[in-house]
Amino acid sequence: MTKKLSQLKQDFTEGLSQISRFWGFPKGMGAIFAVLYISPAPLSLDEIVEQTGLTKGAISTEVRTLARMGLVHRSSKLADRKDYYEAESDFYKSIRSILKERQNSEFDSAIRSVQETLKELESGSVSGDEAEVQFVHERIKALQEFFNAIDTLSKAVIKLESLGLGNVKTILSVLK
Amino acid sequence: MTKKLSQLKQDFTEGLSQISRFWGFPKGMGAIFAVLYISPAPLSLDEIVEQTGLTKGAISTEVRTLARMGLVHRSSKLADRKDYYEAESDFYKSIRSILKERQNSEFDSAIRSVQETLKELESGSVSGDEAEVQFVHERIKALQEFFNAIDTLSKAVIKLESLGLGNVKTILSVLK
DNA sequence: TACTATGTTTAGTAATTACTAAACATTCTA
DNA sequence: TAGAATGTTTAGTAATTACTAAACATAGTA
Protein backbone atom coordinates (compact mmCIF):
# COMPACT_ATOMS: atom_id res chain seq x y z
CA MET A 1 0.00 0.00 0.00
CA THR A 2 1.30 3.47 -0.76
CA LYS A 3 1.44 6.37 1.60
CA LYS A 4 1.15 10.06 0.87
CA LEU A 5 4.24 12.19 1.35
CA SER A 6 2.30 14.55 3.56
CA GLN A 7 1.37 11.68 5.84
CA LEU A 8 4.95 10.48 5.97
CA LYS A 9 6.13 13.95 6.90
CA GLN A 10 3.65 14.04 9.71
CA ASP A 11 4.81 10.68 11.04
CA PHE A 12 8.39 11.82 10.91
CA THR A 13 7.56 15.00 12.76
CA GLU A 14 5.75 12.99 15.38
CA GLY A 15 8.81 10.78 15.81
CA LEU A 16 11.20 13.67 16.27
CA SER A 17 8.81 15.25 18.76
CA GLN A 18 9.08 12.20 20.95
CA ILE A 19 12.83 12.10 20.65
CA SER A 20 12.87 15.75 21.64
CA ARG A 21 10.79 15.02 24.73
CA PHE A 22 13.11 12.20 25.63
CA TRP A 23 16.06 14.55 25.62
CA GLY A 24 14.18 16.91 27.92
CA PHE A 25 13.21 19.47 25.30
CA PRO A 26 9.63 20.51 24.55
CA LYS A 27 8.06 18.30 21.96
CA GLY A 28 7.05 21.39 20.00
CA MET A 29 10.72 22.10 19.57
CA GLY A 30 11.28 18.71 18.00
CA ALA A 31 8.34 19.33 15.69
CA ILE A 32 9.69 22.67 14.55
CA PHE A 33 13.07 21.19 13.82
CA ALA A 34 11.47 18.29 11.97
CA VAL A 35 9.45 20.40 9.55
CA LEU A 36 12.47 22.57 8.83
CA TYR A 37 14.70 19.57 8.41
CA ILE A 38 12.58 17.97 5.74
CA SER A 39 11.71 21.17 3.95
CA PRO A 40 13.61 21.74 0.69
CA ALA A 41 13.42 25.50 1.21
CA PRO A 42 13.64 27.75 4.26
CA LEU A 43 10.30 28.42 5.92
CA SER A 44 8.80 31.58 7.32
CA LEU A 45 7.27 31.81 10.75
CA ASP A 46 3.77 31.55 9.34
CA GLU A 47 4.65 28.53 7.28
CA ILE A 48 5.93 26.85 10.42
CA VAL A 49 2.68 27.78 12.16
CA GLU A 50 0.82 26.09 9.37
CA GLN A 51 2.88 22.92 9.40
CA THR A 52 3.14 22.38 13.14
CA GLY A 53 -0.13 23.75 14.43
CA LEU A 54 1.70 25.74 17.09
CA THR A 55 1.15 29.46 17.56
CA LYS A 56 3.43 32.24 16.41
CA GLY A 57 4.38 33.06 19.97
CA ALA A 58 5.58 29.58 20.84
CA ILE A 59 7.48 29.26 17.61
CA SER A 60 9.08 32.65 17.99
CA THR A 61 10.64 31.69 21.28
CA GLU A 62 11.48 28.11 20.48
CA VAL A 63 13.08 28.89 17.18
CA ARG A 64 15.36 31.26 19.02
CA THR A 65 16.46 28.48 21.34
CA LEU A 66 17.07 26.22 18.38
CA ALA A 67 19.15 28.92 16.76
CA ARG A 68 21.20 29.36 19.91
CA MET A 69 21.91 25.67 19.84
CA GLY A 70 22.94 25.90 16.23
CA LEU A 71 20.22 23.54 15.08
CA VAL A 72 18.50 26.07 12.86
CA HIS A 73 19.62 29.18 11.05
CA ARG A 74 17.72 32.34 10.51
CA SER A 75 18.00 34.00 7.13
CA SER A 76 16.18 36.55 5.09
CA LYS A 77 15.40 37.22 1.48
CA LEU A 78 16.06 40.56 -0.13
CA ALA A 79 12.98 42.69 -0.48
CA ASP A 80 11.06 40.46 1.88
CA ARG A 81 10.98 41.37 5.48
CA LYS A 82 9.93 37.98 6.69
CA ASP A 83 12.47 35.91 8.54
CA TYR A 84 13.19 32.50 7.14
CA TYR A 85 14.46 29.48 8.99
CA GLU A 86 16.27 26.40 7.87
CA ALA A 87 17.64 23.39 9.71
CA GLU A 88 21.31 22.73 10.13
CA SER A 89 21.88 19.40 8.45
CA ASP A 90 25.36 18.75 9.77
CA PHE A 91 24.58 17.25 13.15
CA TYR A 92 28.16 17.05 14.22
CA LYS A 93 28.36 20.77 13.80
CA SER A 94 25.25 21.12 15.95
CA ILE A 95 26.69 18.96 18.67
CA ARG A 96 29.72 21.16 18.91
CA SER A 97 27.50 24.18 19.03
CA ILE A 98 25.30 22.69 21.74
CA LEU A 99 28.31 21.85 23.87
CA LYS A 100 29.60 25.35 23.47
CA GLU A 101 26.25 26.77 24.44
CA ARG A 102 26.19 24.57 27.49
CA GLN A 103 29.34 26.05 28.90
CA ASN A 104 27.65 29.22 30.02
CA SER A 105 24.62 27.42 31.31
CA GLU A 106 23.21 26.65 34.69
CA PHE A 107 24.82 23.28 34.44
CA ASP A 108 28.25 24.75 34.75
CA SER A 109 27.17 27.01 37.53
CA ALA A 110 25.92 23.98 39.44
CA ILE A 111 29.23 22.28 38.83
CA ARG A 112 30.97 25.33 40.13
CA SER A 113 28.98 25.06 43.31
CA VAL A 114 30.45 21.60 43.83
CA GLN A 115 33.84 23.13 43.21
CA GLU A 116 33.13 25.65 45.94
CA THR A 117 32.28 22.91 48.37
CA LEU A 118 35.52 21.21 47.54
CA LYS A 119 37.53 24.36 48.16
CA GLU A 120 36.04 24.73 51.60
CA LEU A 121 37.11 21.22 52.43
CA GLU A 122 40.59 21.84 51.13
CA SER A 123 41.05 24.99 53.12
CA GLY A 124 40.39 22.96 56.24
CA SER A 125 37.63 25.27 57.35
CA VAL A 126 35.03 22.58 57.89
CA SER A 127 34.32 21.41 61.42
CA GLY A 128 33.01 17.99 62.38
CA ASP A 129 34.05 14.39 62.91
CA GLU A 130 37.53 14.18 61.44
CA ALA A 131 37.20 10.83 59.71
CA GLU A 132 33.89 11.77 58.17
CA VAL A 133 35.18 15.10 56.91
CA GLN A 134 38.02 13.18 55.35
CA PHE A 135 35.64 10.73 53.68
CA VAL A 136 33.37 13.43 52.31
CA HIS A 137 36.41 15.27 51.05
CA GLU A 138 37.62 12.29 49.04
CA ARG A 139 34.23 11.59 47.58
CA ILE A 140 33.66 15.13 46.44
CA LYS A 141 37.15 15.26 45.00
CA ALA A 142 36.40 12.18 42.93
CA LEU A 143 33.18 13.70 41.66
CA GLN A 144 34.99 16.86 40.73
CA GLU A 145 37.55 14.89 38.78
CA PHE A 146 34.78 13.16 36.91
CA PHE A 147 33.24 16.49 35.97
CA ASN A 148 36.61 17.69 34.80
CA ALA A 149 37.03 14.66 32.58
CA ILE A 150 33.69 15.33 30.95
CA ASP A 151 34.59 18.94 30.55
CA THR A 152 37.92 18.12 28.97
CA LEU A 153 36.23 15.75 26.59
CA SER A 154 33.56 18.17 25.53
CA LYS A 155 36.02 20.99 25.04
CA ALA A 156 38.05 18.73 22.79
CA VAL A 157 34.98 17.83 20.80
CA ILE A 158 34.24 21.49 20.31
CA LYS A 159 37.64 21.95 18.79
CA LEU A 160 37.32 19.15 16.29
CA GLU A 161 36.92 20.33 12.75
CA SER A 162 34.65 17.45 11.94
CA LEU A 163 33.34 14.74 14.20
CA GLY A 164 31.99 12.43 11.53
CA LEU A 165 31.43 8.74 11.71
CA GLY A 166 34.94 8.24 10.40
CA ASN A 167 36.43 9.88 13.45
CA VAL A 168 34.20 7.96 15.76
CA LYS A 169 35.58 4.80 14.24
CA THR A 170 39.12 6.06 14.71
CA ILE A 171 38.46 6.60 18.36
CA LEU A 172 37.06 3.15 18.76
CA SER A 173 39.95 1.49 17.05
CA VAL A 174 42.36 3.16 19.44
CA LEU A 175 40.45 1.68 22.32
CA LYS A 176 40.76 -1.77 20.75
CA MET B 1 35.12 31.35 59.07
CA THR B 2 34.46 27.66 59.59
CA LYS B 3 31.48 25.75 58.43
CA LYS B 4 29.78 22.75 59.98
CA LEU B 5 30.03 19.47 58.11
CA SER B 6 26.27 19.09 58.24
CA GLN B 7 25.88 22.43 56.50
CA LEU B 8 28.42 21.50 53.86
CA LYS B 9 26.60 18.24 53.20
CA GLN B 10 23.39 20.14 52.72
CA ASP B 11 25.00 22.52 50.25
CA PHE B 12 26.44 19.64 48.32
CA THR B 13 23.07 17.92 48.19
CA GLU B 14 21.51 21.12 46.95
CA GLY B 15 24.11 21.35 44.20
CA LEU B 16 23.58 17.81 42.99
CA SER B 17 19.83 18.38 43.01
CA GLN B 18 20.25 21.19 40.53
CA ILE B 19 22.55 19.17 38.36
CA SER B 20 19.98 16.42 38.39
CA ARG B 21 17.28 18.81 37.25
CA PHE B 22 19.50 20.05 34.50
CA TRP B 23 19.86 16.55 33.15
CA GLY B 24 16.09 16.15 33.17
CA PHE B 25 15.83 14.03 36.28
CA PRO B 26 13.77 14.95 39.34
CA LYS B 27 15.74 17.02 41.77
CA GLY B 28 14.76 14.63 44.55
CA MET B 29 16.66 11.96 42.70
CA GLY B 30 19.80 14.06 42.77
CA ALA B 31 19.32 14.66 46.47
CA ILE B 32 18.97 10.95 47.19
CA PHE B 33 22.09 10.18 45.26
CA ALA B 34 23.97 12.97 47.01
CA VAL B 35 23.24 11.81 50.54
CA LEU B 36 24.18 8.27 49.64
CA TYR B 37 27.31 9.39 47.87
CA ILE B 38 28.70 11.24 50.84
CA SER B 39 27.62 8.72 53.43
CA PRO B 40 30.42 6.52 54.74
CA ALA B 41 27.95 3.68 55.32
CA PRO B 42 24.91 2.42 53.41
CA LEU B 43 21.66 4.05 54.47
CA SER B 44 18.24 2.61 55.10
CA LEU B 45 15.10 4.03 53.56
CA ASP B 46 14.18 5.80 56.79
CA GLU B 47 17.62 7.33 57.07
CA ILE B 48 17.24 8.68 53.56
CA VAL B 49 13.85 10.08 54.54
CA GLU B 50 15.50 11.85 57.42
CA GLN B 51 18.34 13.30 55.39
CA THR B 52 16.40 14.43 52.33
CA GLY B 53 13.03 15.36 53.76
CA LEU B 54 11.27 13.35 51.06
CA THR B 55 8.66 10.75 51.89
CA LYS B 56 9.14 6.99 51.90
CA GLY B 57 6.97 6.62 48.84
CA ALA B 58 8.96 8.97 46.67
CA ILE B 59 12.24 7.49 47.79
CA SER B 60 11.04 3.97 47.24
CA THR B 61 10.32 4.63 43.59
CA GLU B 62 13.25 6.90 42.87
CA VAL B 63 15.79 4.67 44.47
CA ARG B 64 14.59 1.91 42.17
CA THR B 65 15.24 4.10 39.14
CA LEU B 66 18.68 4.94 40.45
CA ALA B 67 19.39 1.26 40.94
CA ARG B 68 18.28 0.47 37.38
CA MET B 69 20.71 3.09 36.17
CA GLY B 70 23.46 1.54 38.24
CA LEU B 71 23.98 4.67 40.30
CA VAL B 72 23.06 3.06 43.60
CA HIS B 73 23.14 -0.46 44.91
CA ARG B 74 20.74 -2.12 47.23
CA SER B 75 22.15 -4.36 49.90
CA SER B 76 21.05 -5.90 53.14
CA LYS B 77 22.55 -6.82 56.44
CA LEU B 78 22.15 -10.23 57.92
CA ALA B 79 19.50 -10.38 60.59
CA ASP B 80 18.13 -7.00 59.59
CA ARG B 81 15.30 -6.87 57.20
CA LYS B 82 15.80 -3.30 56.23
CA ASP B 83 17.15 -2.60 52.79
CA TYR B 84 20.28 -0.54 52.62
CA TYR B 85 21.43 1.62 49.78
CA GLU B 86 24.82 2.89 48.79
CA ALA B 87 26.02 4.98 45.88
CA GLU B 88 28.15 3.63 43.10
CA SER B 89 31.33 5.65 43.26
CA ASP B 90 32.76 4.57 39.93
CA PHE B 91 31.01 6.98 37.58
CA TYR B 92 32.41 5.44 34.47
CA LYS B 93 30.77 2.22 35.47
CA SER B 94 27.51 4.09 35.92
CA ILE B 95 27.75 5.68 32.53
CA ARG B 96 28.08 2.32 30.90
CA SER B 97 25.15 1.09 32.90
CA ILE B 98 23.01 4.08 31.96
CA LEU B 99 23.78 3.62 28.29
CA LYS B 100 22.86 -0.02 28.54
CA GLU B 101 19.61 0.85 30.26
CA ARG B 102 18.84 3.35 27.54
CA GLN B 103 18.89 0.75 24.84
CA ASN B 104 15.51 -0.65 25.79
CA SER B 105 14.00 2.73 26.38
CA GLU B 106 11.49 4.87 24.61
CA PHE B 107 14.36 6.68 23.02
CA ASP B 108 15.26 3.70 20.95
CA SER B 109 11.66 3.07 20.08
CA ALA B 110 11.40 6.62 18.79
CA ILE B 111 14.53 6.06 16.75
CA ARG B 112 13.03 2.92 15.36
CA SER B 113 10.06 4.94 14.21
CA VAL B 114 12.40 7.06 12.13
CA GLN B 115 13.84 3.86 10.77
CA GLU B 116 10.34 2.79 9.77
CA THR B 117 9.81 6.01 7.90
CA LEU B 118 13.06 5.46 6.07
CA LYS B 119 12.04 1.96 5.05
CA GLU B 120 8.84 3.22 3.53
CA LEU B 121 10.81 5.68 1.47
CA GLU B 122 13.21 3.01 0.34
CA SER B 123 10.50 0.65 -0.72
CA GLY B 124 9.24 3.35 -3.07
CA SER B 125 5.76 3.19 -1.63
CA VAL B 126 5.47 6.91 -0.97
CA SER B 127 3.46 9.02 -3.38
CA GLY B 128 3.98 12.71 -4.02
CA ASP B 129 6.16 15.17 -5.88
CA GLU B 130 9.12 13.13 -7.03
CA ALA B 131 11.86 15.66 -6.30
CA GLU B 132 10.50 16.34 -2.85
CA VAL B 133 10.20 12.68 -2.00
CA GLN B 134 13.81 12.35 -3.05
CA PHE B 135 14.89 15.25 -0.86
CA VAL B 136 13.06 13.99 2.19
CA HIS B 137 14.53 10.58 1.59
CA GLU B 138 18.08 11.89 1.66
CA ARG B 139 17.53 13.95 4.74
CA ILE B 140 16.01 11.15 6.72
CA LYS B 141 18.77 8.83 5.61
CA ALA B 142 21.36 11.29 6.92
CA LEU B 143 19.55 11.51 10.24
CA GLN B 144 19.44 7.77 10.49
CA GLU B 145 23.15 7.55 9.88
CA PHE B 146 23.75 10.04 12.63
CA PHE B 147 21.70 7.96 15.04
CA ASN B 148 23.67 4.92 14.03
CA ALA B 149 26.94 6.67 14.73
CA ILE B 150 25.75 7.54 18.22
CA ASP B 151 24.57 4.03 18.71
CA THR B 152 27.89 2.57 17.61
CA LEU B 153 29.71 4.88 19.93
CA SER B 154 27.58 4.10 22.94
CA LYS B 155 27.76 0.37 22.35
CA ALA B 156 31.53 0.65 22.22
CA VAL B 157 31.59 2.58 25.46
CA ILE B 158 29.48 -0.09 27.09
CA LYS B 159 32.07 -2.66 26.14
CA LEU B 160 35.04 -0.78 27.58
CA GLU B 161 36.42 -2.35 30.70
CA SER B 162 37.28 1.01 32.13
CA LEU B 163 36.62 4.46 30.79
CA GLY B 164 38.80 6.43 33.15
CA LEU B 165 40.32 9.83 32.68
CA GLY B 166 43.43 8.16 31.33
CA ASN B 167 41.53 6.75 28.41
CA VAL B 168 39.81 10.01 27.74
CA LYS B 169 43.22 11.60 27.42
CA THR B 170 44.34 8.86 25.06
CA ILE B 171 41.38 9.55 22.84
CA LEU B 172 42.10 13.23 22.77
CA SER B 173 45.74 12.78 21.92
CA VAL B 174 44.81 10.69 18.91
CA LEU B 175 42.59 13.47 17.71
CA LYS B 176 45.48 15.89 18.01
C1' DT C 1 0.53 60.06 8.84
C1' DA C 2 -2.32 55.89 9.16
C1' DC C 3 -2.33 51.17 7.80
C1' DT C 4 -0.34 46.62 7.12
C1' DA C 5 2.82 42.98 7.76
C1' DT C 6 5.69 40.98 10.62
C1' DG C 7 7.94 39.34 15.08
C1' DT C 8 8.02 39.52 20.38
C1' DT C 9 6.35 39.70 25.02
C1' DT C 10 3.09 38.83 28.42
C1' DA C 11 -0.50 37.06 31.24
C1' DG C 12 -3.10 33.28 31.80
C1' DT C 13 -4.34 28.18 30.91
C1' DA C 14 -3.50 23.40 30.02
C1' DA C 15 -0.65 19.54 30.47
C1' DT C 16 2.82 17.21 32.66
C1' DT C 17 5.64 15.73 36.29
C1' DA C 18 7.19 15.35 41.09
C1' DC C 19 5.76 14.56 45.29
C1' DT C 20 2.79 13.60 49.60
C1' DA C 21 -0.23 11.04 52.62
C1' DA C 22 -2.23 7.21 53.45
C1' DA C 23 -3.82 2.56 52.33
C1' DC C 24 -1.94 -1.75 51.35
C1' DA C 25 1.20 -5.85 51.20
C1' DT C 26 4.66 -8.73 53.12
C1' DT C 27 7.48 -10.70 56.40
C1' DC C 28 9.21 -11.23 60.82
C1' DT C 29 8.47 -11.73 65.93
C1' DA C 30 6.06 -12.50 70.03
C1' DT D 1 -2.35 -15.87 65.22
C1' DA D 2 -1.89 -10.65 66.26
C1' DG D 3 1.15 -6.97 66.04
C1' DA D 4 5.12 -4.47 64.49
C1' DA D 5 8.47 -3.17 61.09
C1' DT D 6 9.37 -2.50 56.70
C1' DG D 7 8.65 -1.47 51.63
C1' DT D 8 5.23 -0.51 47.68
C1' DT D 9 1.26 1.28 45.35
C1' DT D 10 -2.24 4.50 44.70
C1' DA D 11 -5.02 8.52 44.51
C1' DG D 12 -4.76 13.13 44.93
C1' DT D 13 -2.13 17.73 45.22
C1' DA D 14 1.50 20.93 44.32
C1' DA D 15 4.87 22.63 41.29
C1' DT D 16 6.65 23.15 36.94
C1' DT D 17 6.69 23.63 32.14
C1' DA D 18 4.71 24.16 27.54
C1' DC D 19 1.68 26.51 25.15
C1' DT D 20 -2.19 29.83 23.63
C1' DA D 21 -4.38 34.21 22.73
C1' DA D 22 -3.95 38.58 22.54
C1' DA D 23 -1.60 42.95 23.38
C1' DC D 24 2.39 45.18 21.97
C1' DA D 25 6.46 46.84 19.24
C1' DT D 26 8.70 47.91 14.91
C1' DA D 27 9.29 48.87 10.42
C1' DG D 28 7.70 49.27 5.81
C1' DT D 29 4.15 51.13 2.47
C1' DA D 30 0.31 53.74 0.72
Side-chain angles (χ1 to χ4, degrees), chain A residues 2-3 5 9 19 22-23 37 91-92 107 110 120 125-127 132 139 143 146 149 152 156 165 172 174, chain B residues 2-3 5 9 19 22-23 37 91-92 107 110 120 125-127 132 135 139 143 146 149 156 165 172 174:
Chain A
T2 75
K3 190 185 213 172
L5 179 59
K9 280 171 152 181
I19 290 174
F22 182 86
W23 285 98
Y37 184 68
F91 296 108
Y92 302 102
F107 177 64
E120 291 173 327
S125 66
V126 176
S127 66
E132 198 181 352
R139 282 273 160 126
L143 180 61
F146 174 71
T152 304
L165 184 53
L172 303 186
V174 169
Chain B
T2 75
K3 190 186 215 173
L5 179 59
K9 280 171 150 182
I19 290 173
F22 182 86
W23 285 99
Y37 185 68
F91 297 108
Y92 302 102
F107 177 64
E120 289 174 328
S125 65
V126 176
S127 66
E132 198 183 351
F135 176 84
R139 283 273 159 126
L143 180 61
F146 174 71
L165 182 54
L172 303 186
V174 169

Side-chain angles (χ1 to χ4, degrees), chain B residues 30-87:
Chain B
I32 293 169
F33 179 81
V35 304
L36 292 174
Y37 185 68
I38 55 180
S39 163
L43 299 179
S44 69
L45 218 168
D46 282 326
E47 287 167 323
I48 301 174
V49 167
E50 197 185 330
Q51 299 208 26
T52 59
L54 301 176
T55 57
K56 276 197 307 169
I59 294 168
S60 170
T61 58
E62 278 171 9
V63 102
R64 208 180 322 151
T65 310
L66 283 164
R68 230 180 29 234
M69 299 196 302
L71 280 163
V72 312
H73 303 290
R74 191 186 292 238
S75 63
S76 45
K77 294 178 184 166
L78 284 150
D80 180 347
R81 65 198 175 79
K82 286 200 202 72
D83 286 348
Y84 286 86
Y85 302 91
E86 62 186 322

Side-chain angles (χ1 to χ4, degrees), chain A residues 131-169:
Chain A
E132 198 181 352
V133 170
Q134 183 61 23
F135 176 84
V136 169
H137 186 169
E138 268 155 31
R139 282 273 160 126
I140 295 185
K141 199 162 97 194
L143 180 61
Q144 183 63 47
E145 272 159 18
F146 174 71
F147 285 158
N148 284 341
I150 289 189
D151 201 53
T152 304
L153 180 59
S154 71
K155 278 196 181 116
V157 169
I158 290 171
K159 280 200 202 121
L160 290 177
E161 252 329 280
S162 157
L163 175 71
L165 184 53
N167 279 339
V168 171
K169 280 187 178 151

Side-chain angles (χ1 to χ4, degrees), chain B residues 59-173:
Chain B
I59 294 168
S60 170
T61 58
E62 278 171 9
V63 102
R64 208 180 322 151
T65 310
L66 283 164
R68 230 180 29 234
M69 299 196 302
L71 280 163
V72 312
H73 303 290
R74 191 186 292 238
S75 63
S76 45
K77 294 178 184 166
L78 284 150
D80 180 347
R81 65 198 175 79
K82 286 200 202 72
D83 286 348
Y84 286 86
Y85 302 91
E86 62 186 322
E88 170 63 60
S89 58
D90 180 345
F91 297 108
Y92 302 102
K93 211 167 173 182
S94 299
I95 284 187
R96 288 200 296 280
S97 162
I98 288 169
L99 290 176
K100 210 177 280 173
E101 160 71 11
R102 200 219 59 186
Q103 302 209 296
N104 340 8
S105 73
E106 280 171 50
F107 177 64
D108 273 32
S109 95
I111 284 184
R112 267 192 293 280
S113 104
V114 171
Q115 225 159 8
E116 278 307 308
T117 308
L118 186 58
K119 265 188 204 142
E120 289 174 328
L121 282 159
E122 273 162 0
S123 71
S125 65
V126 176
S127 66
D129 176 86
E130 194 49 53
E132 198 183 351
V133 170
Q134 184 60 25
F135 176 84
V136 169
H137 186 168
E138 268 155 29
R139 283 273 159 126
I140 295 185
K141 199 161 96 192
L143 180 61
Q144 184 63 47
E145 272 159 18
F146 174 71
F147 285 157
N148 284 341
I150 290 190
D151 201 52
T152 304
L153 181 60
S154 70
K155 279 198 181 113
V157 169
I158 289 171
K159 279 201 202 119
L160 291 177
E161 252 329 280
S162 157
L163 175 71
L165 182 54
N167 279 338
V168 170
K169 280 185 178 151
T170 307
I171 294 173
L172 303 186
S173 71

Side-chain angles (χ1 to χ4, degrees), chain A residues 4-124:
Chain A
K4 286 220 189 76
L5 179 59
S6 55
Q7 177 61 47
L8 182 128
K9 280 171 152 181
Q10 212 167 307
D11 293 351
F12 175 75
T13 304
E14 179 59 32
L16 275 201
S17 299
Q18 279 181 246
I19 290 174
S20 177
R21 273 247 326 290
F22 182 86
W23 285 98
F25 302 110
K27 73 180 204 290
M29 203 167 122
I32 293 170
F33 179 81
V35 306
L36 292 174
Y37 184 68
I38 56 180
S39 164
L43 299 179
S44 69
L45 218 169
D46 281 327
E47 288 167 321
I48 301 174
V49 166
E50 198 185 328
Q51 299 207 28
T52 59
L54 301 175
T55 57
K56 276 197 308 170
I59 294 168
S60 171
T61 58
E62 277 170 9
V63 102
R64 207 180 321 149
T65 310
L66 283 164
R68 230 179 31 231
M69 300 198 301
L71 280 163
V72 313
H73 302 291
R74 192 185 292 238
S75 63
S76 45
K77 295 177 184 169
L78 284 150
D80 181 347
R81 64 199 175 78
K82 286 200 201 71
D83 287 348
Y84 286 87
Y85 303 91
E86 63 187 321
E88 170 63 60
S89 58
D90 180 344
F91 296 108
Y92 302 102
K93 211 167 172 181
S94 300
I95 284 187
R96 288 199 296 281
S97 161
I98 289 169
L99 290 177
K100 210 177 280 171
E101 160 72 11
R102 199 219 60 184
Q103 302 210 294
N104 340 11
S105 72
E106 281 171 48
F107 177 64
D108 273 32
S109 95
I111 284 184
R112 267 191 294 280
S113 105
V114 171
Q115 224 158 8
E116 278 307 308
T117 308
L118 186 58
K119 265 188 204 141
E120 291 173 327
L121 281 160
E122 272 161 0
S123 72

